[in-house]
């Protein structure tokens, strides 16, 4: 494949299988400017980590949609850094957690961190075990399901609902409504993204929750989130808290559901591996890391160069968009031997950067890993003889940002 002839952001063949593009890109170097949108594609782990670490040069303002984010032109005497700092309201999606830069990012991230206390995560994990079996109960005698809608979607959705303290009476409402709207929205391969529409649908729900709990707080998680101050003691605006809750749903549900789909596809393709994990569930953790490495649910976030710089010997002019290609970097041969091969016992699989790194390392990484571990343990314990209904019909989300199956029809036998 000639990487320069193919448009990573719109090519349907790359959506279906990006591995040949990743390989062609790596041959050109760890930092290469693609010609279609002028994006610097960063495919080496070392180079991505260096970019993530340099918060003064690289802004996250374009993290979600990269070259498709319209940026205002600097006025006379105004730098690009001034535009990002002072004219953020003019930039689409600029108030999402993933697009914030320090110090604003740290203030908002501190609110989210209040959800991930050891006690809260323990309570949430107990809910996961119960939920996994409850969902499997709905289909274990059917012999055939579409896995993404029967299990992966509702499981990840309701886990986050529980973590956020959404009232149990609203869980089924969320399952029926949100589950039909999140999949495949972000980073459409036609060069557009509609993930902001999903967030807009969530805002009124969480606004009502937060306003109610600020007026009449209880001892639930939503009340704690609603009344939590910024680190400096200032009370956040209601919408600041709403955005935190909404991004947890729109981002956390989508990516973990894709991870579960990837894992089940691999288990159906490799029955001997399924038997091995079933016999020794301790191996599931390593299996999950290899799934994350080989099929990162996020293909990669973007950064904006605020001033002229160099990365891996390549000149990066101010105003350039760079893409941290997690999916390619997780196959970097300098780190992962035979990186295109799935190896459930790979000793360094956890060096993957599927959850990012540094300031913007995914705050829900431990949650996603727990969801996957519990899901695979219960699914393998209760289902046997996993088979793909039609391997040739599998298709992937039409997105330059999300990597995962649209659906996963499976046949199976219930274990006695």
């Amino acid at each position: 494949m000639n990487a320069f002839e193919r448009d990573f952001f719109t090519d349907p063949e790359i959506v279906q299988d990006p591995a040949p593009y990743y390989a062609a890109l790596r041959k050109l170097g760890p930092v290469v400017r693609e010609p279609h949108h002028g994006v610097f594609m960063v495919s080496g782990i070392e180079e991505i980590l260096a970019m993530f670490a340099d918060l003064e040069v690289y802004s996250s303002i374009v993290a979600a949609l990269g070259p498709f984010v319209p940026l205002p032109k600097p006025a006379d005497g105004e730098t690009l850094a001034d535009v990002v700092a002072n004219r953020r309201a003019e930039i689409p999606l600029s108030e999402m957690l993933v697009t914030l830069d320090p110090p604003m990012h740290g203030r908002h991230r501190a609110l989210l961190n209040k959800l991930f206390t050891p006690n809260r995560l323990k309570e949430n994990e107990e809910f996961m075990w119960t939920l996994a079996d409850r969902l499997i109960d709905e289909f274990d005698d059917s012999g055939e399901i579409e896995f993404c809608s029967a299990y992966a979607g509702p499981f990840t959705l309701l886990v986050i609902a529980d973590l956020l303290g959404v009232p149990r009476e609203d869980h089924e409402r969320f399952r029926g409504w949100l589950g039909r709207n999140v999949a495949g929205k972000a980073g459409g391969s036609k060069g557009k993204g509609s993930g902001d529409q999903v967030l807009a649908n969530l805002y009124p729900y969480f606004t009502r929750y937060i306003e109610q709990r600020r007026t009449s707080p209880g001892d639930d998680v939503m009340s704690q989130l609603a009344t939590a101050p910024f680190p400096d003691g200032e009370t956040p605006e209601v919408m600041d808290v709403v955005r935190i809750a909404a991004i947890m749903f729109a981002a956390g549900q989508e990516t973990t559901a894709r991870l579960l789909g990837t894992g089940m596809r691999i288990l159906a393709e490799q029955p001997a591996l399924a038997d091995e994990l079933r016999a020794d569930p301790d191996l599931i953790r390593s299996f999950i890391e290899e799934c994350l490495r080989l099929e990162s649910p996020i293909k990669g976030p973007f950064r904006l160069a605020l001033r002229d710089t160099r990365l891996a010997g390549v000149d990066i002019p101010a105003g350039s968009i760079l893409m941290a290609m997690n999916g390619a970097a997780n196959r970097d041969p300098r780190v992962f031997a035979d990186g295109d091969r799935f190896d459930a016992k790979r000793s360094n699989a956890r060096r993957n950067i599927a959850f990012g790194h540094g300031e913007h390392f995914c705050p829900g990484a431990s949650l996603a890993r727990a969801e996957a571990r519990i899901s695979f343990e219960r699914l393998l314990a209760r289902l046997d003889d996993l088979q793909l209904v039609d391997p040739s019909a599998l298709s992937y989300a039409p997105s330059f940002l999300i990597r995962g199956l649209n659906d996963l029809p499976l046949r199976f036998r219930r274990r006695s």
Side-chain angles (χ1 to χ4, degrees), residues 135 147-159 175 179 253 257 260:
L135 291 173
F147 177 76
C148 298
S149 59
Y151 185 90
F155 180 82
T156 53
L157 174 73
L158 296 180
V159 165
R175 180 179 177 179
Q253 191 271 351
L260 295 180

Side-chain angles (χ1 to χ4, degrees), residues 11 19 25 48 171 281-282 294 299 333 369:
D11 193 312
L25 201 62
I48 288 176
H171 278 202
D282 288 343
L294 199 65
K299 294 177 182 177
R369 287 181 165 118

Side-chain angles (χ1 to χ4, degrees), residues 167-227:
R168 293 290 172 88
E169 59 267 25
D170 285 343
H171 278 202
E172 286 306 309
R173 181 184 189 186
F174 270 73
R175 180 179 177 179
W177 173 73
L178 185 60
R180 294 192 299 270
N181 285 276
V182 296
K185 295 291 186 180
S189 62
K190 293 183 179 180
K192 299 178 180 179
S194 54
D196 52 331
Q197 296 176 5
V198 178
L199 295 176
N201 287 332
L202 285 166
Y203 286 163
Y205 289 84
F206 286 109
T207 299
R208 176 170 59 87
Y209 287 142
I210 299 302
E211 288 177 342
Q212 286 177 349
R213 281 156 179 76
R214 282 197 169 178
T215 302
S216 302
D219 59 359
D220 62 338
V221 175
M222 192 68 77
S223 293
Q224 296 171 18
L225 189 62
T227 57

Side-chain angles (χ1 to χ4, degrees), residues 128-141:
M128 291 183 210
W129 289 106
T130 302
L131 176 63
D133 278 316
R134 176 157 61 86
L135 291 173
I136 297 170
D137 286 342
E138 294 178 3
F139 60 73
D140 68 339
D141 60 352

